[in-house]
Amino acid sequence: MTSPSHTCSESKATCPGRIARVARSAALLALLPALPALAGTVTGSLRLIDSHDAGAHRTSDYSGAVIWLERSDGTALPIEPKTAQMAQKKKRFVPSVLAVPVGSVVSFPNLDPIFHNAFSNFAGQIFDVGLYSPGTDQKVPFRRPGVVRVFCNIHPTMSAVIVVLNTNCMAVSKADGSFRIDGVKEGHYRLHVFHERATEQTLNALERILEVGDDPISLPRIEISEGGYIQLPHKNKYRKDYPALIEDRPMYPAQRKP
């Protein structure tokens, strides 16, 4: 007597009906979107210690530290360049610290009623957008990793930092010291930290290895010492001293090279 649960004369493994059902299931699965790789979140907080700046103690502003992840085995991560902005407003660069992946373009809009001239003559990337008027903008592509220290050729008190990285897994700390890196794919990473008022030796000591999965990682608080930092005056783009008197005017006269 034929079993009521299987009416084919062939075995279950070779039954045409079963093969057809398997084929239909495979076809349906092929139409489904591919599941993304597991991605985790890395969060934490930091604070600055041993600062020589009395204002830092008074305000407890821990913003401006850059935290990023790179594969611990040196494997390159996919990079998605972006467009970012560092405005010039009230004789300040806003934000004063910016982190971008390699290949990104940074615009420098002049939101002041006076002329500005953003430049960098440090090894991170040398650029000079020239003297440009209020309400205009200049854009600079950043094609290699490094720390770019930015100044204004007219106003010596204006300074900023752009950290260009070989990764999109990055964050800049907020005023309370907190940071968050989302979308980190599963794997082993080396965590790096940068702060403009910390020595290279101090920053190297803060590196650590993380294993990231799909569960969030909350790091112990990071302390960045400013103990070895010495602030030195910088030169203008011609590597000369700034004039003793800075005269701002809406139509700033073009500068002549010495």
Side-chain angles (χ1 to χ4, degrees):
M1 180 180 294
T2 303
S3 169
S5 62
H6 188 69
T7 58
C8 297
S9 58
E10 295 87 359
S11 68
K12 291 184 179 181
T14 59
C15 171
R18 181 180 178 84
I19 293 175
R21 288 194 298 272
V22 172
R24 286 195 299 271
S25 298
L28 289 173
L29 287 173
L31 295 175
L32 294 175
L35 294 176
L38 295 177
T41 300
V42 177
T43 61
S45 65
L46 55 84
R47 71 178 185 127
L48 306 176
I49 61 174
D50 305 325
S51 176
H52 300 294
D53 183 0
H57 296 291
R58 184 177 63 255
T59 61
S60 297
D61 184 353
Y62 304 141
S63 62
V66 180
I67 305 93
W68 72 97
L69 302 174
E70 294 179 339
R71 291 282 192 182
S72 60
D73 62 359
T75 304
L77 290 169
I79 299 176
E80 296 181 7
K82 64 179 183 179
T83 299
Q85 184 183 94
M86 179 174 277
Q88 292 154 101
K89 185 177 181 180
K90 298 181 179 179
K91 296 184 184 180
R92 297 179 62 187
F93 288 107
V94 182
S96 61
V97 178
L98 188 63
V100 297
V102 169
S104 296
V105 174
V106 176
S107 65
F108 294 87
N110 182 359
L111 306 183
D112 278 334
I114 55 178
F115 276 66
H116 284 300
N117 182 174
F119 78 96
S120 178
N121 53 16
F122 282 74
Q125 178 169 320
I126 296 175
F127 73 90
D128 177 10
V129 300
L131 195 69
Y132 61 110
S133 60
T136 61
D137 192 2
Q138 297 290 337
K139 295 179 174 60
V140 178
F142 290 86
R143 300 187 177 92
R144 64 179 185 180
V147 176
V148 183
R149 299 185 182 272
V150 184
F151 303 101
C152 176
N153 193 54
I154 303 171
H155 306 99
T157 59
M158 292 179 63
S159 65
V161 175
I162 300 175
V163 183
V164 187
L165 301 169
N166 275 324
T167 178
N168 282 87
C169 299
M170 66 182 74
V172 179
S173 64
K174 299 179 181 179
D176 63 357
S178 64
F179 60 87
R180 179 186 180 97
I181 304 175
D182 289 313
V184 184
K185 293 185 178 180
E186 187 176 34
H188 289 82
Y189 292 85
R190 180 177 296 276
L191 179 141
H192 301 267
V193 181
F194 171 82
H195 193 277
E196 62 177 325
R197 296 195 302 274
T199 65
E200 184 176 357
Q201 182 179 6
T202 295
L203 297 174
N204 289 340
L206 295 175
E207 294 183 6
R208 64 192 71 183
I209 300 296
L210 301 180
E211 182 178 357
V212 179
D214 56 343
D215 293 327
I217 295 178
S218 181
L219 299 174
R221 185 166 64 178
I222 299 171
E223 292 189 339
I224 304 176
S225 173
E226 300 181 40
Y229 172 72
I230 300 175
Q231 185 173 8
L232 299 174
H234 65 275
K235 305 292 187 179
N236 66 15
K237 68 180 183 181
Y238 305 119
R239 302 189 184 278
K240 303 289 185 180
D241 291 331
Y242 283 82
L245 178 63
I246 304 297
E247 182 181 358
D248 290 320
R249 60 181 88 177
M251 294 301 293
Y252 197 93
Q255 288 188 330
R256 296 178 180 177
K257 293 185 179 182

